[in-house]
Amino acid sequence: MNGQLSTHPFAELLREIFNKSLSGTLRLDQDLAKAVIYFEEGNPIFAASNVRSLRLSEYLTKRSLASKSQLSAVANNRSDAALAEALSREGILERKVLEGVFVTLVTDVLKVVMLWSAGTWDYDDRTQLAESVRVEVPTRGLLLEGARKMALELVASRFPNKSEIISPVATAAEAGQLLPEEGFVLSRVDGPLPLDEVLMLSGLRELDALRVIYGLALANYLQRADWPTHLGGVVAAATRSGPEKITPPPPPAPTKKTEEEELAEFFERIDGATNYYEILNIPQTASLDDIKRGYYKLARSYHPDRFHSKSVHGRIETAFARITQAYETLIDTAHRNTYDARLAAQERS
């Protein structure tokens, strides 16, 4: 199975192989640069490249772990894996040291090919790694880091449908390795949402938001409804278990009311609200997280940018101005205390 990296980016191939727990060999070419990556049950266990700066001998000499004379004595045009075996067999380097170098080397190869936007790829599930060397690399972190460095235009091309549904992944791992903007976007997706709504809630420039969403989806923090399948004909060796497993998102709840009916109820509730808590539809005992959730729930449904009809846009802007005022008051502890004291005084009188 093969294709073009321009239409099948390596990051998406890596994600698919990882999620399907596939075993095999992926070869990539970009001009004169070549790379080969071996997988076992979805995990990249070894990678090599003909790029000189990504060869084992270069890593060993730069780290002063082996001299050029030592390497030339055993190299004999060997592959990186075969060179490692020879160095270990001759007692020049301990296997543990070589394994540590290989982790860095394989990770670097994956990082480099993650940025290849042109070239070809070929996947063969019958070819396995013959050498005994095996490494463990953080696939989730690699996918996140790769997305952060991808060209914005390439990322934007991966989202042709702005109505695509983006959903949270119930089994996603802890978000400790996320950047602040990634964590913020992830926190806004509390259920299946159209992509354009996620973009609006992100608070980021559209291209920057798309890159964040792409990285979160690659690393299985978010689920895209329209993920392209590049290796559809390859059968998974086993089903991945544990927190990396992707749980299909629940389908969006069916719409029971028309938009006109929902707007009418919304305006009626806002017009009848007597305090900021009623405007945000939260109790007076609400925590700061409750206040945030209440505000963002309203923003997803009733932000003025969602409505372009002149007949309702002005009224929506007025209503949302009250929502924003309520949120800015209650989210600030000092302002909220003052406001609560005023409400208590009104009730007493």
Side-chain angles (χ1 to χ4, degrees):
M1 192 167 296
N2 54 66
Q4 299 291 322
L5 290 172
S6 57
T7 54
H8 304 147
F10 169 68
E12 294 181 18
L13 293 169
L14 175 58
R15 170 194 170 274
E16 188 170 349
I17 292 170
F18 181 72
N19 287 337
K20 289 183 175 180
S21 298
L22 302 179
S23 298
T25 303
L26 181 65
R27 300 181 184 278
L28 307 106
D29 290 2
Q30 181 180 256
D31 297 328
L32 298 179
K34 301 179 184 296
V36 57
I37 303 163
Y38 298 90
F39 295 89
E40 283 185 359
E41 296 186 357
N43 296 298
I45 58 167
F46 190 71
S49 173
N50 68 341
V51 177
R52 182 174 180 179
S53 61
L54 295 173
R55 298 303 302 272
L56 176 62
S57 57
E58 292 291 312
Y59 277 64
L60 294 176
T61 54
K62 286 180 180 179
R63 290 162 173 76
S64 300
L65 295 173
S67 65
K68 291 184 178 180
S69 60
Q70 288 175 316
L71 291 172
S72 61
V74 298
N76 195 24
N77 294 322
R78 286 185 167 99
S79 67
D80 284 353
L83 174 60
E85 291 287 345
L87 290 170
S88 176
R89 185 173 58 251
E90 297 295 327
I92 298 174
L93 283 174
E94 294 181 1
R95 179 170 291 275
K96 187 175 181 180
V97 174
L98 287 165
E99 289 175 353
V101 175
F102 266 128
V103 170
T104 303
L105 173 57
V106 171
T107 301
D108 288 348
V109 171
L110 294 172
K111 287 179 180 179
V112 168
V113 298
M114 194 88 69
L115 301 181
W116 289 2
S117 58
T120 61
W121 62 270
D122 182 274
Y123 181 77
D124 187 350
D125 59 353
R126 297 166 298 178
T127 306
Q128 306 294 326
L129 180 64
E131 288 82 356
S132 60
V133 61
R134 298 289 190 279
V135 301
E136 293 184 10
V137 295
T139 305
R140 182 190 293 269
L142 275 172
L143 289 166
L144 274 173
E145 185 175 346
R148 292 166 186 163
K149 296 180 179 179
M150 285 184 186
L152 291 171
E153 295 75 13
L154 173 61
V155 173
S157 71
R158 310 313 296 166
F159 292 95
N161 177 18
K162 291 298 191 296
S163 298
E164 177 184 358
I165 297 299
I166 307 295
S167 305
V169 176
T171 54
E174 295 297 323
Q177 59 186 324
L178 299 182
L179 297 177
E181 58 268 27
E182 293 166 342
F184 179 81
V185 171
L186 183 61
S187 69
R188 302 281 73 81
V189 185
D190 54 5
L193 295 174
L195 174 60
D196 53 4
E197 288 195 29
V198 181
L199 293 174
M200 180 189 71
L201 293 172
S202 72
L204 300 171
R205 192 170 63 106
E206 180 173 314
L207 287 176
D208 294 326
L210 285 174
R211 181 152 62 183
V212 169
I213 295 167
Y214 188 61
L216 292 172
L218 282 173
N220 295 341
Y221 287 97
L222 293 176
Q223 175 68 26
R224 291 182 60 185
D226 298 343
W227 264 125
T229 298
H230 309 307
L231 302 169
V234 182
V235 180
T239 302
R240 178 171 298 282
S241 59
E244 303 294 350
K245 184 178 179 180
I246 295 298
T247 301
T255 303
K256 297 180 180 179
K257 299 177 182 179
T258 65
E259 184 178 273
E260 290 75 14
E261 291 172 333
E262 289 186 350
L263 280 174
E265 290 185 4
F266 168 70
F267 289 136
E268 182 179 359
R269 189 181 66 77
I270 295 295
D271 292 342
T274 60
N275 59 56
Y276 289 161
Y277 294 99
E278 292 180 2
I279 289 175
L280 296 180
N281 201 23
I282 57 176
Q284 286 190 242
T285 56
S287 65
L288 290 179
D289 286 339
D290 293 334
I291 294 170
K292 290 178 182 178
R293 279 193 290 268
Y295 172 75
Y296 286 114
K297 182 178 180 180
L298 292 171
R300 284 196 296 271
S301 300
Y302 302 109
H303 194 282
D305 289 348
R306 294 191 63 233
F307 301 90
H308 304 289
S309 172
K310 292 182 180 180
S311 61
V312 298
H313 193 268
R315 196 173 180 189
I316 280 284
E317 283 189 327
T318 301
F320 203 77
R322 293 187 66 192
I323 291 171
T324 302
Q325 183 180 24
Y327 172 73
E328 290 177 348
T329 298
L330 298 182
I331 202 65
D332 184 287
T333 302
H335 291 168
R336 182 181 182 181
N337 290 338
T338 302
Y339 181 73
D340 287 347
R342 188 163 72 247
L343 283 183
Q346 290 173 352
E347 290 178 2
R348 288 194 299 270
S349 63

